[in-house]
Each structure stands twice: as structure tokens, then as C-alpha cells.
Amino acid sequence: MSTVLGTSPGQWLRTLAPVLSLAAAVLFFYAIPPHPPLTLFDLRLVAVHAMIVGTAAIGMTLVIISAGIDLSVGSAIALVSVAAALVLENGGGIGAALLVALSTGALCGFYNGLLVTSLRLPPFIATLGTLGFYRGVAKWISGSIPVTAPTHGLDLWVNPIPNPQWLFVAPGVWLMLGLAVVFILLLRYSVLGQHALAIGSNEATARLCGIRITRTKIAIYVLAGLLTGLAGLMQFARLTQGDPTVAIGLELDIIAAVVIGGGSLSGGQGSIVGTLAGAVLMAYLRNRSTVLGWPNFVEEMIVGHIIIVAVAVDRWRAGRSS
Amino acid sequence: MITLGQPSDSFPERRSPRLAMAGITKRFGATVALDSVDLQVYPGEVLALVGENGAGKSTLMKILSGAVQPDEGNTRLDGATFTPAGPLAARASGIAMIYQESNVVPNLSVEANLILGAERHRFGFIDRSAHRRRIRGVLDRLGRPELPLAAPVSRLSTGDRQLIEIARALLTDARVVIMDEPTSSLGLVEIDRLFSIISGLRREGVAIIYISHFLAEVQRIADRFLVLRDGRVVGQGATTTVTVADLIELMIGRRLPDMFPISSRTTGIPLLTLNDVGTVKGSSSSPINLTLHRGEILGLAGLVGAGRTELLRSICGLDPIVSGQVTVAGYSGGKSWRHTGLKPGVGLLSENRQTEGLALGLSVGNNMLLSRLEPFTRWGWLDTRMMRQTVKRFIASCGIRARGAGQPVGELSGGNQQKVAFARLLHHDVDVLLLDEPTRGIDVASKAQIYEWIGKLVERGKGVVLVSDYVPELLGVCDRITVMHRNQVVATRSAKDWTEHDIWNAATSGEGALA
């Protein structure tokens, strides 16, 4: 938990819990016959799977800490991947694609922030609306068919086996980890991070203290949008095409990663480290299910209940502390 | 105990009381909230229960409604022992509470509200026709048969919402109706209507306990009164035998020795000026003009709902001003005013420490520094070492009992929480401090410390506006006191020229002439 001024024991537990759950999951799957080994390739695959969800979930952590939510993130990822593909298809370079991806993401975030603040819509409703809107725009600009485009080496950033091999995991994963460090510092040591925490803890108090609520909230959604933009570009690189129907329901995985990681849907609580652990946990589950040859629905049923347990634990903790 | 007028004069002994509470005692820890209180109400009688805030009225009514269990004493309802296990049981036995804030569900229809929780059903389906007949009957009795049953309650006026509550009480065949400050949010016409309804209930033999600070109204509607002070009955009798002045005398009584430090100070130039400020939309009340000087403490006295909190919130910009102008010397507009909507140079200590004043989940340090992070900021990044040191200094100098800067503020005691909120104002370093009930619900030692800080602040040339329900506090701390009544200023005078009696008189009657 990122309060500037010291950390209480309960908060350590909160941060540690997702990591412990991850360890438990590892042991659990190892215990299941035929004890499938966890190969280096498996680890690399899990890392790449966690990358897109993890990158977007870093931004989502900030949003959820400020007592917001963003249901539109999956659609925004699809829109960004289409936009980036169109740029590349029309002869743009990597730089142009990155710029378009980030600004598309930021614009989506800005629009969400605007709806939440100026129209005073509950974030759940506002982003439920933009969930449909961004998906529609993605289909519109792509003509509802996947846009195949030259990758100009973008795919190397997200290839499970990195080149050079001593990088251990894909460069995109390292990028995500680097951003995680930046956002940990941002939450802990920046005015914006402290204001986000204050708004999420008690908006009335934040207002009383003269915090510029509108401005802060919009900044939070824009920052989250930038990360969504990056996640969208990663999505494109993975598929090497901009698919307007990709990442349907991905927002739930992203939100789940935050919640598993100790983020509270009522705001004021959340940890980047926990969020990443949550993202890895889900990627790991999916990987193991595949290795064990379980059908897709088993995996979905398990993930569903992990989310339920994570939220139940959050409620229980909240009830106990009040 | 003073008894003014013999109850037996007007209420012959042959009538047995509808409700009789005897020897009711309730302790909360070391404090005695109620000390062997006796109370009787007869059928068809209106008993006024009066006393200052904290005198024990609410506790007594909570015992009656089953929300609190007494330590000693017993209650009889129509002669039978009455020990309600909870509010539901009390309601089923015919005790109906009508609260100040109406307890209706705004989105449901009038009809649905009336039968809520008491639905009669046949095989799980609500028996509408049976309900309608009863509801029509009750509304006839209340003189409002035209009230639309299908309309959502949110469209009704405050007075009609209250009527719904009264109707609900009648539907459950209430034998005793308790009304807690029923007129505080009503207009004059609605008050008249309420009083005629009360007269009707009285004729039907319902016993009514009427709690109010508006003593003139008490005189008008009640047959008898009972005054509580510090958990004891200090007087009772027929209302015809006493004046409002007598009632105030009984309520105030003698005082504990004072704990208010006298600070030497001189008042300077005007700091905060209110010109024709209106806070309530579409209200006919006359606008407010006030001036606060440097080095001055201005008290705002008045009943709950007199508009004092609303005024403070409008001054600092949390709520909009409907008309008029607020100026703070040395601040003209300015950037932060536009961006945050908060008036620069003004800080508010909220009366709701738990829901607004503090973010309970945040640490002591975060709560303290939140309103002014600039001193620790460079390019948007914080110098957390400096922050920690500042918080440590405040914790030491304010005598806050906390494990450290990182402890969530919600884990502290009420007094320490209030000190954290106060420390934030000190750190914020504003010129005008608006303190809304700064000592409510905190221990005596913390109170004394807060008075001392207030004194020191004004010595340094700050201006303080203090809202308090506790009149001796205002008299002890303030230089000048303004009394408000129904969103208007009744009178402003030097604290020396007020007596507790005069303040009560002005606050309850709205008339400011010297007694």
C-alpha cells in the first residue's frame, strides 16, 4: 500500500497476499498428476501472457485506487491495435505507430475522465458506455475486418523467446516491469499519487482539503489511457494484425488482476506489485490448464472463482477494519 | 426537583398513564446518561420533553423505542410491563417514532411507503384493497384525503413527508407517538397543519411525546412539560403554569466551573466580510451580513438546522452562495479559487469528522498534510522525508496519541482524530478558520487543548468563526456571538452582552431584543 508515511503491518499482508496466492497456485499445479514440469519456455510464455493484462492493469490500479473503474479498457485496446495497424499499413514507421497508439489510448482515457467528472456519471456507467463506443469505432475504422500490417520488428518485442536470449523474457515484459517501477514511485512519491489515494479514500475530505478533484481524476484516466495505448500496441504486435474484435472481456481480467492484487473496488487501496502478481497468477492458471489439457471452460470457471474469492476477502477485510 | 403546577390538577389520578417509565438509569462507561428518570404520559396528552443537547432526551427515547436497553428501571405501557427487544418490537407494541429527518423511501409511492414493513398479504401477494381502505381511513383522519397514493414520495413537500410518517404510525395503531424536533424543517403553514393533526391525535386518545427546542411551540401545543438536564428530571408541570423564560432557566441550571482560558488579544482590521449572503435557494429569509476581524473569535449560536453549518460551507466554497458576496482580506479571486472552488485563505473544520473531515483509511500524516502539499513538492514529486518530519513535529506539539505518522487515522480515539483534523488546519496556515463543532464528542482534556489552540491562533492575528451547540462554550471562548434562527441572523453582540438565557431566547424565538 502506498501511503507515503510508513506502512502498517496489515498493509504488508495486503501486498504479500497475492504473492502468496501465486506461490500456492504453483504448488497446487505441481501437486496435480502428472506433475507437469514448469519449463523455461512455460515461464516465458506466462510472462508474455501476463504482459498485456499487466500493462493495462498498472493503469487500472491507479484508477481503482481513486475509487474509479474502467470497463472500456478491452475495447480501447482493440481500438488502439487497429489504429496502430492502420498507421503501419499506410506506410508509417514504429515511431508513428507508437505515437498514434499512445495518443489514441490517452484520448480514450480523457473521454472517460470527462464523462466521469463533467457529467458526474458513476465510472461504472460512463465506461460501460464507452466500452461499446470504442469497440464501435474500432470496427468502423477497420471496416470490421482485421487489419494486417507490417510489424517492422514490433513482434520481436513480444516474442516469448527474446533475442538476445540472455534477456530471459520478452523486452515487452521488461518494459512493463519498468513502467511498474515508475508507477510505484508515482503512487508513493508524487502529488498526483497522493491525491488519487485521498480521493479514493474519501472524496469529501479531498474536496475539503482543496484538492482539484476534476483535474486529478482526468489526469488519472489519461495516465491509465496511456498504458492502455501501450497494451494495445502489444496486442497488435502479438497478433501482427489490428483486430477490432480482439480483447473482448479482457477488462475483466485486468480488473481481476487489480482486485487479486489487493485493490479495493471501494477505493483507497491498491498495489502495483500485487496487481502484477495477480496478472501473473491468471496467466499461470491459463498456461497450466493448457499444459494439463483441460478444456477452456474449466479455466474460465477457476478464474471466475478466484475473482469471487479475492473480492470476498476484500469485503471481509473492509468489514473487519471498520 | 422543582415541580411547577401539580400534574394532578389537570390530570386526575383516576386516569392511568398510557406510558410510565420509572427509575430509568443508563450509564455509558463512566458517564451517567440518565439518572433514575421518571416519565408518564396519559392518553390524549401531549408531553413536551425539553433539555439541552446531551441532556439525555435521545437516550431516553432510544430506550423507549428499544434501541438501547436501560441499566435500571422499568417501563409500563397501559399497565403492562414493556421491555422492547428492539425497534421492531417497540413498533409492534404501538410506540411510533417520528424523526427530524423523515424516514421515508423517496422512490417508492405514498402507498408503498405507508405499508412498508407492515404489508398484509395473501399467499405472498400484497392485499391492495385491504390496505387502500385502511390508508384512506387514516388520511381522512389526518384531514388529507386528497393525497395521491400513487405519487412517489420524492415529489411531496417536507411537511407531507412528515404526514406520511404520522400516517404510518396511525396505521400500526400507535398508542404512543414520539416526535423529535418535528417542526425544525417546516414552514409556518406546515407547522399549523402539524399542530392541528396533533390536536386530532390527542382527541383520539393517542399519547404524544413532543421533543423540541422551539419553546414557544412547546407552550402552544403541549399540555405538560418535562425538563431533563444532565440526565436528570429537573422540572415538570403543566405548560400553562410556566413561561418560556422559566423553561430556559430549568434547562440551563447551574454550570460546571469553566475551563476556558482567557487569552489577551486585540481585534484588528476586518478579515472576512459577508455582504447580503443568502445560502438557501428560493428562501425568503433576509440575507446575512457579518464581519470577522483579525484576532477575533466570532461564535455562531442557534438551534440545529438554523443554517449555521450551511453558512460555514458557503463561506469556504464547498456549497454555492445563492446571493451576495464573501470577501477575505488579502485574497482577491486567485487561481486556487477557480480550480478547486474553495475560497483561498479559508479553512473549515467539518462537523462530520468521520464522513468528511478525515479520510479514515488514510494515515495520520496524509490526513494532516493533504490540504497543503506545496512545501514538500518539487516538479510534482514529494519530499517524503521532510513530510515525515513535519508530521512528527505536529504529533508531538499537538499531543496526538498515535503509533506514528503511518497509522490509519480511523484507529485513533475521537479526541485524537479531532486533533489530527485541527493539525491540518494549522498546517494549512489559513487566515480564517471556520470551526464547526470542534469539540463535539471528544474528551475533556482534548477540549481544553482545542480551546487553547484557538486562543493562540487569534493571538497570532487569525480570525475564527466557531459554531457550537454548547452555549457555555461560546460564551467562554468567543469575543462576539451571532445568534441565527431559520437561516437568518437574529442578533450579533459582544459575548459580554449575552447571557445564556438571552441566547436561548433569541435562538428559539428568533427575536433578538434584550430580555
Side-chain angles (χ1 to χ4, degrees):
Chain A
M1 189 56 251
S2 41
T3 142
V4 170
L5 304 149
T7 308
S8 69
Q11 289 169 340
W12 273 114
L13 192 71
R14 211 182 168 92
T15 311
L16 228 55
V19 180
L20 292 177
S21 324
L22 186 57
V26 171
L27 288 176
F28 170 76
F29 278 104
Y30 188 72
I32 296 177
H35 312 290
L38 193 63
T39 64
L40 179 60
F41 183 73
D42 282 328
L43 281 179
R44 285 171 163 165
L45 211 56
V46 167
V48 167
H49 281 156
M51 176 183 65
I52 295 175
V53 166
T55 304
I58 292 171
M60 187 69 81
T61 309
L62 194 59
V63 169
I64 285 180
I65 281 179
S66 70
I69 191 121
D70 181 4
L71 297 180
S72 72
V73 60
S75 298
I77 284 176
L79 174 59
V80 169
S81 82
V82 169
L86 285 172
V87 169
L88 293 169
E89 189 196 24
N90 291 303
I94 289 188
L98 182 67
L99 193 70
V100 165
L102 291 183
S103 39
T104 306
L107 214 59
C108 290
F110 180 71
Y111 190 50
N112 287 339
L114 213 59
L115 292 179
V116 168
T117 52
S118 58
L119 291 187
R120 293 183 185 281
L121 297 180
F124 189 91
I125 304 299
T127 59
L128 189 64
T130 54
L131 175 147
F133 175 63
Y134 299 152
R135 180 73 64 186
V137 175
K139 287 179 180 166
W140 174 40
I141 62 174
S142 65
S144 292
I145 44 163
V147 180
T148 311
T151 58
H152 295 306
L154 270 178
D155 53 327
L156 297 179
W157 278 74
V158 296
N159 196 336
I161 301 169
N163 181 25
Q165 285 239 11
W166 52 261
L167 273 177
F168 188 66
V169 288
V173 177
W174 287 113
L175 184 63
M176 173 191 79
L177 291 174
L179 284 169
V181 172
V182 171
F183 274 79
I184 288 169
L185 295 177
L186 187 95
L187 270 178
R188 214 176 264 256
Y189 297 112
S190 78
V191 175
L192 180 72
Q194 292 302 299
H195 283 180
L197 190 61
I199 290 174
S201 299
N202 189 338
E203 194 169 323
T205 308
R207 200 160 123 69
L208 187 76
C209 289
I211 289 175
R212 301 165 186 188
I213 306 233
T214 301
R215 214 177 78 157
T216 307
K217 278 188 178 171
I218 289 181
I220 288 166
Y221 279 99
V222 168
L223 267 180
L226 282 172
L227 287 158
T228 307
L230 197 63
L233 195 63
M234 288 170 170
Q235 181 70 60
F236 163 77
R238 285 282 293 154
L239 296 176
T240 69
Q241 61 178 13
D243 183 353
T245 59
V246 81
I248 290 178
L250 197 70
E251 59 277 356
L252 297 182
D253 278 19
I254 293 165
I255 293 165
V258 177
V259 171
I260 291 169
S264 165
L265 291 177
S266 37
Q269 300 276 0
S271 127
I272 303 280
V273 175
T275 294
L276 290 189
V280 171
L281 175 63
M282 282 192 303
Y284 179 74
L285 276 174
R286 293 193 193 282
N287 171 272
R288 291 292 90 179
S289 312
T290 315
V291 170
L292 286 165
W294 291 351
N296 188 261
F297 60 80
V298 175
E299 175 190 317
E300 282 170 350
M301 284 154 63
I302 294 176
V303 170
H305 270 85
I306 286 180
I307 296 170
I308 290 171
V309 170
V311 175
V313 167
D314 175 50
R315 293 282 131 186
W316 175 72
R317 258 189 305 224
R320 220 176 41 146
S321 67
S322 67
Chain B
M1 187 171 91
I2 310 157
T3 302
L4 300 155
Q6 294 302 308
S8 50
D9 290 351
S10 41
F11 300 97
E13 289 298 326
R14 59 188 163 77
R15 290 175 67 186
S16 59
R18 165 68 30 99
L19 177 81
M21 302 177 87
I24 301 288
T25 300
K26 179 70 193 175
R27 296 177 200 89
F28 293 108
T31 45
V32 183
L34 291 171
D35 189 0
S36 56
V37 169
D38 295 339
L39 176 151
Q40 295 94 31
V41 208
Y42 295 84
E45 180 193 44
V46 179
L47 172 73
L49 183 59
V50 294
E52 286 195 272
N53 294 325
K57 291 171 299 182
S58 312
T59 311
L60 190 62
M61 290 307 107
K62 277 182 187 158
I63 287 172
L64 194 50
S65 69
V68 168
Q69 304 302 324
D71 295 331
E72 286 163 38
N74 62 72
T75 305
R76 288 178 163 305
L77 186 62
D78 281 329
T81 307
F82 174 63
T83 47
L88 264 180
R91 192 176 153 186
S93 319
I95 307 273
M97 286 284 290
I98 290 157
Y99 295 94
Q100 198 169 342
E101 305 292 332
S102 12
N103 246 328
V104 290
V105 187
N107 292 329
L108 287 184
S109 68
V110 169
E111 183 180 353
N113 263 287
L114 283 173
I115 61 177
L116 200 62
E119 290 92 346
R120 297 188 173 192
H121 53 81
R122 251 185 222 156
F123 315 114
F125 290 95
I126 292 174
D127 184 353
R128 289 207 179 268
S129 57
H131 277 301
R132 290 240 168 93
R133 268 196 309 279
R134 281 168 47 83
I135 289 171
R136 283 289 167 212
V138 164
L139 290 179
D140 278 345
R141 276 158 70 193
L142 293 174
R144 293 298 301 280
E146 80 283 4
L147 214 65
L149 290 188
V153 166
S154 56
R155 282 210 225 124
L156 300 187
S157 68
T158 320
D160 279 346
R161 287 184 196 200
Q162 200 169 50
L163 187 94
I164 301 289
E165 289 213 56
I166 297 171
R168 192 151 66 187
L170 292 182
L171 277 170
T172 52
D173 298 317
R175 289 186 276 179
V176 180
V177 173
I178 303 158
M179 296 185 180
D180 189 358
E181 293 287 352
T183 62
S184 63
S185 47
L186 298 186
L188 287 177
V189 180
E190 287 176 318
I191 292 176
D192 281 343
R193 192 185 290 157
L194 175 70
F195 282 5
S196 69
I197 287 171
I198 292 177
S199 304
L201 293 178
R202 182 197 270 146
R203 276 193 301 276
E204 291 180 19
V206 176
I208 294 163
I209 300 177
Y210 186 92
I211 303 173
S212 182
H213 277 124
F214 296 95
L215 299 177
E217 285 172 7
V218 163
Q219 286 261 308
R220 199 174 131 200
I221 192 68
D223 303 302
R224 275 193 314 127
F225 66 89
L226 185 122
V227 184
L228 280 181
R229 189 205 310 150
D230 300 329
R232 286 175 205 211
V233 178
V234 291
Q236 58 180 313
T239 41
T240 47
T241 63
V242 289
T243 61
V244 168
D246 294 335
L247 287 176
I248 294 175
E249 198 73 56
L250 286 171
M251 283 164 63
I252 300 168
R254 259 185 310 122
R255 282 292 156 207
L256 300 164
D258 69 30
M259 54 190 286
F260 309 110
I262 300 152
S263 73
S264 61
R265 53 189 185 250
T266 46
T267 54
I269 54 160
L271 189 58
L272 171 77
T273 319
L274 273 63
N275 279 326
D276 293 333
V277 168
T279 57
V280 186
K281 215 174 226 169
S283 147
S284 58
S285 50
S286 54
I288 294 166
N289 287 288
L290 281 177
T291 309
L292 174 72
H293 302 87
R294 277 200 181 278
E296 184 184 42
I297 306 174
L298 174 68
L300 286 185
L303 302 176
V304 173
R308 295 168 300 162
T309 296
E310 291 78 359
L311 183 62
L312 290 194
R313 295 180 68 86
S314 295
I315 291 175
C316 74
L318 279 173
D319 290 338
I321 300 173
V322 179
S323 60
Q325 209 178 1
V326 176
T327 28
V328 181
Y331 298 89
S332 47
K335 248 173 44 184
S336 81
W337 169 236
R338 262 188 289 126
H339 285 300
T340 64
L342 289 192
K343 196 93 183 156
V346 178
L348 171 74
L349 187 81
S350 170
E351 65 169 338
N352 297 314
R353 193 166 58 226
Q354 311 263 342
T355 56
E356 182 182 44
L358 295 169
L360 294 182
L362 279 189
S363 68
V364 169
N366 278 346
N367 269 292
M368 239 181 234
L369 306 183
L370 205 52
S371 55
R372 196 165 68 101
L373 291 175
E374 291 86 13
F376 317 106
T377 310
R378 185 172 287 181
W379 303 110
W381 295 89
L382 296 165
D383 182 345
T384 50
R385 210 166 53 108
M386 200 170 132
M387 287 171 76
R388 250 192 303 275
Q389 281 166 356
T390 309
V391 174
K392 261 189 202 148
R393 249 198 335 270
F394 270 121
I395 289 180
S397 68
C398 297
I400 295 165
R401 281 170 179 273
R403 276 204 313 272
Q407 188 178 10
V409 84
E411 291 176 6
L412 306 185
S413 73
N416 282 304
Q417 286 183 4
Q418 192 69 339
K419 286 182 191 173
V420 172
F422 209 96
R424 175 163 70 220
L425 276 184
L426 296 178
H427 170 70
H428 197 176
D429 200 29
V430 286
D431 278 347
V432 178
L433 293 94
L434 311 173
L435 309 179
D436 200 353
E437 296 288 354
T439 61
R440 179 191 282 168
I442 65 176
D443 56 293
V444 178
S446 301
K447 270 186 192 178
Q449 192 152 28
I450 283 176
Y451 296 142
E452 201 184 312
W453 290 339
I454 297 176
K456 278 188 186 154
L457 283 167
V458 291
E459 276 174 38
R460 277 165 39 200
K462 310 268 183 198
V464 172
V465 181
L466 176 68
V467 166
S468 176
D469 278 346
Y470 189 50
V471 177
E473 175 175 285
L474 291 174
L475 286 169
V477 174
C478 300
D479 298 303
R480 284 188 304 147
I481 296 172
T482 295
V483 178
M484 289 183 69
H485 177 82
R486 299 194 196 267
N487 297 313
Q488 299 187 35
V489 168
V490 180
T492 304
R493 262 178 240 155
S494 162
K496 291 192 298 289
D497 301 333
W498 282 111
T499 63
E500 198 169 351
H501 186 279
D502 291 342
I503 288 179
W504 271 102
N505 199 36
T508 54
S509 69
E511 286 153 24
L514 283 164

